[in-house]
Every structure is written in C-alpha cells, then in structure tokens.
Amino acid sequence: MTTITAATQPRVTAARVGLVLSAFMTVFLLFDAVIHILNIEPVVEAMRDLGYPAGSAVAIGVIELVCLALYVVPRTSVLGAMLLTGYLGGAVSAQVRVESPLLSTTLFPVYLGIVLWAGLYLRNATLRAAVLPPR
C-alpha cells in the first residue's frame, strides 16, 4: 500500500493537471493537423484568406503533426514544445499580416502556447527543476 504524504500531494495534483492540459492540447492540435492534411474546404478558404497557396495546407499539417508527435513523447516533449511554439508564432505572424482582431484571433495561438507550456511544466519535473531550481 502506497501512502501519499502531504508534501507529495501537490506534486501529484500538479502532474495530473499537467496531463489534462497536455491531453487537451494534443487533441486540439491533432484535429487541426488532420483537417490541414485532409485539405477540407474551410481550410482551403482560410489559407486563401491568409494569402497562402491552397496546396500549402497539407505541408503545414504534416509539420504540425511531426511537432506534435515530438511533444507527446516524454523524452522529446521539450523539443516538441519548442517547435510547436515556433509553429504557433508563424500563426500569429499570419494573423498580424492580414490585420485580424488582436484579442480573439491574433493572440489565439499565444493562448494555445501558454496552455501547451503550462501542461508540460506541470507534468515534467526536470523542466520544473530547470526553470525553478530547488532551494
């Protein structure tokens, strides 16, 4: 029988919250990558509105899928998070270029990045130790 002490309970809770946040981001980004790869009509129209060639959606979806796969694997999760941060930065850049509304559309990828990193931070003890070394 395992006894959870009061000191380890917050770590267990934080790890669970981190897993939930990471799972949410994984499902959301997986859906986004798949619709890009399938090149459905709303994606083609959105790419056109952003000024990208319609055929580029598939390549963007594949890149997103590779970055997401790296994020999901615990050993490469930090690399995946860094690559997804760059991917989301490109999304911000595209929205700025077409002068989308700031809080709702342009900053949406930033919000996703915050949730992405929060989930990783809470579930990865090594990352937590690197960011805030123990006293």
Side-chain angles (χ1 to χ4, degrees):
M1 181 171 169
T2 304
T3 304
I4 298 177
T5 64
T8 60
Q9 183 60 36
R11 288 189 209 131
V12 171
T13 303
R16 287 182 182 157
V17 170
L19 283 172
V20 169
L21 291 174
S22 294
F24 170 75
M25 287 304 303
T26 300
V27 169
F28 181 83
L29 293 173
L30 181 62
F31 172 76
D32 186 58
V34 167
I35 66 171
H36 277 87
I37 291 169
L38 294 177
N39 212 16
I40 61 176
E41 185 56 36
V43 171
V44 172
E45 187 177 318
M47 296 301 282
R48 194 176 313 116
D49 292 345
L50 291 171
Y52 290 107
S56 63
V58 175
I60 290 171
V62 170
I63 291 168
E64 183 179 12
L65 201 55
V66 169
C67 295
L68 184 60
L70 290 170
Y71 177 73
V72 171
V73 175
R75 191 170 185 156
T76 59
S77 59
V78 174
L79 174 61
M82 288 189 287
L83 293 172
L84 283 168
T85 301
Y87 174 85
L88 295 170
V92 170
S93 177
Q95 296 299 332
V96 167
R97 194 172 58 76
V98 296
E99 299 176 351
S100 294
L102 180 66
L103 294 176
S104 62
T105 308
T106 301
L107 290 180
F108 184 72
V110 174
Y111 307 146
L112 293 178
I114 290 168
V115 174
L116 179 100
W117 278 100
L120 183 58
Y121 177 82
L122 291 172
R123 71 181 165 99
N124 188 320
T126 307
L127 180 61
R128 281 194 311 276
V131 173
L132 294 173
R135 295 179 189 189

Short mmCIF file of all heavy atoms in Angstrom, two decimals, residues 52-85:
data_model
loop_
_atom_site.label_atom_id
_atom_site.label_comp_id
_atom_site.label_asym_id
_atom_site.label_seq_id
_atom_site.Cartn_x
_atom_site.Cartn_y
_atom_site.Cartn_z
N TYR A 52 -2.04 32.38 -48.47
CA TYR A 52 -1.20 31.23 -48.75
C TYR A 52 -1.79 30.42 -49.90
O TYR A 52 -3.00 30.38 -50.06
CB TYR A 52 -1.10 30.32 -47.53
CG TYR A 52 -0.30 30.92 -46.39
CD1 TYR A 52 -0.94 31.38 -45.24
CD2 TYR A 52 1.08 31.00 -46.46
CE1 TYR A 52 -0.21 31.93 -44.20
CE2 TYR A 52 1.80 31.55 -45.42
CZ TYR A 52 1.16 32.01 -44.29
OH TYR A 52 1.87 32.55 -43.27
N PRO A 53 -0.94 29.75 -50.67
CA PRO A 53 -1.46 28.86 -51.71
C PRO A 53 -2.26 27.72 -51.06
O PRO A 53 -1.90 27.24 -49.98
CB PRO A 53 -0.21 28.30 -52.39
CG PRO A 53 0.92 29.13 -51.93
CD PRO A 53 0.52 29.79 -50.66
N ALA A 54 -3.33 27.30 -51.71
CA ALA A 54 -4.21 26.28 -51.15
C ALA A 54 -3.47 24.98 -50.87
O ALA A 54 -3.75 24.30 -49.89
CB ALA A 54 -5.38 26.02 -52.10
N GLY A 55 -2.51 24.63 -51.68
CA GLY A 55 -1.77 23.39 -51.51
C GLY A 55 -0.83 23.37 -50.31
O GLY A 55 -0.37 22.32 -49.91
N SER A 56 -0.57 24.52 -49.73
CA SER A 56 0.37 24.56 -48.60
C SER A 56 -0.25 24.03 -47.31
O SER A 56 0.48 23.74 -46.35
CB SER A 56 0.89 25.99 -48.40
OG SER A 56 -0.18 26.86 -48.06
N ALA A 57 -1.55 23.87 -47.26
CA ALA A 57 -2.21 23.38 -46.05
C ALA A 57 -1.72 21.98 -45.67
O ALA A 57 -1.52 21.68 -44.49
CB ALA A 57 -3.73 23.38 -46.23
N VAL A 58 -1.51 21.13 -46.66
CA VAL A 58 -1.07 19.76 -46.38
C VAL A 58 0.32 19.77 -45.74
O VAL A 58 0.56 19.10 -44.73
CB VAL A 58 -1.09 18.90 -47.66
CG1 VAL A 58 -0.51 17.52 -47.40
CG2 VAL A 58 -2.51 18.80 -48.20
N ALA A 59 1.24 20.54 -46.31
CA ALA A 59 2.59 20.63 -45.75
C ALA A 59 2.56 21.19 -44.34
O ALA A 59 3.26 20.70 -43.45
CB ALA A 59 3.47 21.48 -46.65
N ILE A 60 1.73 22.19 -44.10
CA ILE A 60 1.61 22.78 -42.77
C ILE A 60 1.06 21.76 -41.79
O ILE A 60 1.53 21.66 -40.65
CB ILE A 60 0.74 24.06 -42.82
CG1 ILE A 60 1.51 25.16 -43.55
CG2 ILE A 60 0.32 24.51 -41.44
CD1 ILE A 60 0.69 26.40 -43.85
N GLY A 61 0.09 20.98 -42.22
CA GLY A 61 -0.48 19.94 -41.36
C GLY A 61 0.54 18.86 -41.01
O GLY A 61 0.59 18.39 -39.87
N VAL A 62 1.34 18.47 -41.97
CA VAL A 62 2.37 17.45 -41.71
C VAL A 62 3.41 17.97 -40.73
O VAL A 62 3.82 17.27 -39.80
CB VAL A 62 3.02 16.98 -43.04
CG1 VAL A 62 4.25 16.12 -42.77
CG2 VAL A 62 2.01 16.23 -43.89
N ILE A 63 3.83 19.21 -40.92
CA ILE A 63 4.80 19.83 -39.99
C ILE A 63 4.22 19.87 -38.58
O ILE A 63 4.89 19.52 -37.60
CB ILE A 63 5.19 21.24 -40.47
CG1 ILE A 63 6.03 21.14 -41.75
CG2 ILE A 63 5.94 22.00 -39.38
CD1 ILE A 63 6.23 22.45 -42.46
N GLU A 64 2.97 20.27 -38.47
CA GLU A 64 2.32 20.32 -37.17
C GLU A 64 2.24 18.93 -36.54
O GLU A 64 2.48 18.76 -35.33
CB GLU A 64 0.92 20.92 -37.31
CG GLU A 64 0.19 21.07 -36.00
CD GLU A 64 -1.18 21.69 -36.17
OE1 GLU A 64 -1.68 21.81 -37.30
OE2 GLU A 64 -1.77 22.07 -35.14
N LEU A 65 1.93 17.93 -37.33
CA LEU A 65 1.83 16.56 -36.84
C LEU A 65 3.17 16.05 -36.33
O LEU A 65 3.24 15.39 -35.28
CB LEU A 65 1.30 15.66 -37.96
CG LEU A 65 0.65 14.35 -37.57
CD1 LEU A 65 -0.49 14.56 -36.58
CD2 LEU A 65 0.14 13.65 -38.81
N VAL A 66 4.25 16.35 -37.03
CA VAL A 66 5.58 15.93 -36.59
C VAL A 66 5.95 16.62 -35.27
O VAL A 66 6.43 15.97 -34.34
CB VAL A 66 6.64 16.23 -37.69
CG1 VAL A 66 8.05 16.06 -37.16
CG2 VAL A 66 6.41 15.34 -38.90
N CYS A 67 5.70 17.92 -35.19
CA CYS A 67 5.98 18.65 -33.94
C CYS A 67 5.15 18.09 -32.79
O CYS A 67 5.64 17.95 -31.67
CB CYS A 67 5.70 20.14 -34.12
SG CYS A 67 6.77 20.97 -35.30
N LEU A 68 3.90 17.79 -33.06
CA LEU A 68 3.01 17.25 -32.04
C LEU A 68 3.47 15.86 -31.58
O LEU A 68 3.43 15.55 -30.38
CB LEU A 68 1.58 17.18 -32.56
CG LEU A 68 0.52 16.73 -31.58
CD1 LEU A 68 0.46 17.66 -30.37
CD2 LEU A 68 -0.84 16.68 -32.27
N ALA A 69 3.94 15.05 -32.51
CA ALA A 69 4.45 13.72 -32.14
C ALA A 69 5.64 13.86 -31.20
O ALA A 69 5.76 13.11 -30.21
CB ALA A 69 4.84 12.94 -33.39
N LEU A 70 6.51 14.81 -31.47
CA LEU A 70 7.64 15.05 -30.57
C LEU A 70 7.18 15.53 -29.20
O LEU A 70 7.76 15.18 -28.18
CB LEU A 70 8.60 16.07 -31.19
CG LEU A 70 9.39 15.57 -32.40
CD1 LEU A 70 10.11 16.73 -33.08
CD2 LEU A 70 10.36 14.48 -31.99
N TYR A 71 6.13 16.33 -29.16
CA TYR A 71 5.58 16.84 -27.90
C TYR A 71 4.96 15.72 -27.06
O TYR A 71 5.07 15.73 -25.83
CB TYR A 71 4.53 17.92 -28.19
CG TYR A 71 3.84 18.48 -26.97
CD1 TYR A 71 4.51 19.33 -26.10
CD2 TYR A 71 2.52 18.17 -26.68
CE1 TYR A 71 3.88 19.86 -24.98
CE2 TYR A 71 1.88 18.69 -25.56
CZ TYR A 71 2.57 19.54 -24.72
OH TYR A 71 1.94 20.06 -23.62
N VAL A 72 4.35 14.76 -27.70
CA VAL A 72 3.65 13.69 -26.98
C VAL A 72 4.64 12.68 -26.37
O VAL A 72 4.37 12.13 -25.30
CB VAL A 72 2.66 12.97 -27.93
CG1 VAL A 72 2.08 11.73 -27.31
CG2 VAL A 72 1.54 13.93 -28.30
N VAL A 73 5.76 12.45 -27.01
CA VAL A 73 6.75 11.50 -26.50
C VAL A 73 7.49 12.16 -25.33
O VAL A 73 8.11 13.22 -25.51
CB VAL A 73 7.75 11.09 -27.60
CG1 VAL A 73 8.84 10.20 -27.04
CG2 VAL A 73 7.01 10.41 -28.74
N PRO A 74 7.43 11.58 -24.12
CA PRO A 74 8.04 12.23 -22.95
C PRO A 74 9.51 12.60 -23.13
O PRO A 74 9.93 13.68 -22.70
CB PRO A 74 7.87 11.19 -21.84
CG PRO A 74 6.66 10.41 -22.24
CD PRO A 74 6.72 10.34 -23.74
N ARG A 75 10.27 11.77 -23.78
CA ARG A 75 11.70 12.03 -23.93
C ARG A 75 11.98 13.25 -24.82
O ARG A 75 13.00 13.92 -24.67
CB ARG A 75 12.37 10.79 -24.50
CG ARG A 75 13.84 10.85 -24.46
CD ARG A 75 14.44 9.52 -24.82
NE ARG A 75 15.87 9.58 -24.66
CZ ARG A 75 16.63 8.56 -24.45
NH1 ARG A 75 16.11 7.36 -24.38
NH2 ARG A 75 17.93 8.70 -24.33
N THR A 76 11.10 13.54 -25.77
CA THR A 76 11.31 14.66 -26.70
C THR A 76 10.28 15.77 -26.52
O THR A 76 10.14 16.63 -27.38
CB THR A 76 11.25 14.15 -28.16
OG1 THR A 76 9.97 13.55 -28.39
CG2 THR A 76 12.37 13.16 -28.44
N SER A 77 9.57 15.75 -25.40
CA SER A 77 8.47 16.70 -25.21
C SER A 77 8.91 18.16 -25.19
O SER A 77 8.21 19.03 -25.71
CB SER A 77 7.69 16.37 -23.94
OG SER A 77 8.52 16.42 -22.82
N VAL A 78 10.07 18.44 -24.62
CA VAL A 78 10.54 19.83 -24.59
C VAL A 78 10.88 20.30 -26.00
O VAL A 78 10.52 21.42 -26.40
CB VAL A 78 11.74 20.00 -23.63
CG1 VAL A 78 12.31 21.40 -23.70
CG2 VAL A 78 11.31 19.68 -22.19
N LEU A 79 11.55 19.47 -26.78
CA LEU A 79 11.84 19.81 -28.17
C LEU A 79 10.54 20.03 -28.94
O LEU A 79 10.40 21.01 -29.70
CB LEU A 79 12.67 18.71 -28.84
CG LEU A 79 12.92 18.87 -30.34
CD1 LEU A 79 13.69 20.15 -30.63
CD2 LEU A 79 13.64 17.65 -30.89
N GLY A 80 9.57 19.15 -28.75
CA GLY A 80 8.28 19.30 -29.41
C GLY A 80 7.59 20.60 -29.02
O GLY A 80 7.01 21.28 -29.87
N ALA A 81 7.66 20.95 -27.74
CA ALA A 81 7.05 22.22 -27.28
C ALA A 81 7.74 23.41 -27.91
O ALA A 81 7.08 24.39 -28.31
CB ALA A 81 7.09 22.30 -25.76
N MET A 82 9.07 23.35 -28.04
CA MET A 82 9.78 24.47 -28.68
C MET A 82 9.39 24.59 -30.15
O MET A 82 9.16 25.70 -30.64
CB MET A 82 11.30 24.28 -28.54
CG MET A 82 11.79 24.52 -27.13
SD MET A 82 13.58 24.57 -26.99
CE MET A 82 14.00 22.86 -27.20
N LEU A 83 9.31 23.47 -30.84
CA LEU A 83 8.93 23.50 -32.26
C LEU A 83 7.49 23.96 -32.43
O LEU A 83 7.19 24.73 -33.35
CB LEU A 83 9.15 22.13 -32.90
CG LEU A 83 10.61 21.69 -33.01
CD1 LEU A 83 10.70 20.25 -33.48
CD2 LEU A 83 11.40 22.62 -33.91
N LEU A 84 6.59 23.51 -31.56
CA LEU A 84 5.20 23.97 -31.63
C LEU A 84 5.09 25.46 -31.31
O LEU A 84 4.24 26.15 -31.87
CB LEU A 84 4.32 23.15 -30.69
CG LEU A 84 3.96 21.75 -31.19
CD1 LEU A 84 3.33 20.92 -30.08
CD2 LEU A 84 3.03 21.83 -32.40
N THR A 85 5.96 25.96 -30.45
CA THR A 85 5.97 27.39 -30.17
C THR A 85 6.33 28.17 -31.43
O THR A 85 5.71 29.20 -31.73
CB THR A 85 6.96 27.71 -29.03
OG1 THR A 85 6.57 26.98 -27.87
CG2 THR A 85 6.98 29.19 -28.72
#
